Structures are given as C-alpha cells and as structure tokens.
Amino acid sequence: MNLKNELQTVHNKLETAKRKLNAAHDRGDTAMISQFNKTVEILTKKLKSVKAQQTKQLSQQGGDVKSLPFSRVLTKQEQADMGKLKKSVKGLVVVHPMTALGREMGIKEVTGYATKEF
C-alpha cells in the first residue's frame, strides 16, 4: 500500500475512533472511553509516522530532481504541447509549483529538469 492510501486509511480510522469516543462520553461508559482514548493515541502516533515518511520520501525525490544537471522554466507554448516536449527530451521531469513536489522544492514557475540541455 502506498503512503497516500495508508495516510487516508489511518485518518479514516482515527475519525471513526474519535466519533465513537464522543458517543462513549455521552453515554458515560468509562471502559469504552479508556479503550477509545488508547486507540486514538495509537492512531495519532501512526498518522504522524506516515506523514513523516511521506515528507522524507518527498524531500528525497526533490533532491533527486534538483541534482539533474540542467533545468529551466518552461514557456507557455511548451506547457501547452507537453507531449511533444517530453518525446523530444528523454528523461525530462516537469515540476509544477502547485504539486507537493513543487511546494517542497520551492519553485514558483513550471520548471523542467533533464540530464541534457533542451
């Protein structure tokens, strides 16, 4: 299971446990309250762990892309015909500033990274 799916699964389980915890508080069921408090604590730790893994993986991917020897901002015309550009430049990696990778790298415009000049 990839990290995005795992993150979503853990988040859903956490929300369910919190909802059940609130219901147990309303009923005054102390046994269930303690059980769900433990469950919420465990799921919160797991959620932080998965987010940390995701951040580490993203920063590693950003480092790999930045290590490519050539990069430049893509023109609007190149962005419009991305298929043609990717066919002409082997190994081209395009990073958009609104993606998670783009935000991690801190780019402001659509940028292409490649092993050779294009």
Side-chain angles (χ1 to χ4, degrees):
M1 182 182 321
N2 67 15
L3 290 177
K4 187 175 180 181
N5 289 342
E6 187 174 351
L7 185 66
Q8 186 66 41
T9 303
V10 171
H11 186 56
N12 288 342
K13 288 179 181 179
L14 181 62
E15 288 301 313
T16 303
K18 285 182 179 179
R19 212 172 25 254
K20 289 181 178 182
L21 177 63
N22 289 337
H25 274 294
D26 292 342
R27 290 191 312 268
D29 191 354
T30 57
M32 294 304 285
I33 290 172
S34 64
Q35 177 186 353
F36 285 122
N37 277 333
K38 289 178 186 175
T39 304
V40 167
E41 185 179 320
I42 290 169
L43 289 173
T44 303
K45 286 181 183 178
K46 176 118 173 132
L47 188 66
K48 286 181 183 179
S49 171
V50 172
K51 283 185 179 182
Q53 278 182 318
Q54 193 175 34
T55 303
K56 181 181 175 185
Q57 186 180 40
L58 197 58
S59 65
Q60 182 182 12
Q61 186 179 7
D64 291 344
V65 170
K66 277 194 172 183
S67 69
L68 291 173
F70 186 76
S71 66
R72 71 171 172 87
V73 176
L74 300 180
T75 64
K76 295 291 183 186
Q77 188 176 13
E78 290 173 329
Q79 291 177 38
D81 199 1
M82 194 66 71
K84 180 182 175 187
L85 180 64
K86 284 191 173 185
K87 285 181 183 176
S88 66
V89 181
K90 297 297 179 197
L92 177 68
V93 178
V94 178
V95 181
H96 194 280
M98 297 302 290
T99 62
L101 181 59
R103 287 190 304 268
E104 175 72 28
M105 294 172 65
I107 62 171
K108 302 292 182 208
E109 298 180 33
V110 178
T111 308
Y113 294 89
T115 55
K116 61 179 183 167
E117 192 170 328
F118 60 97

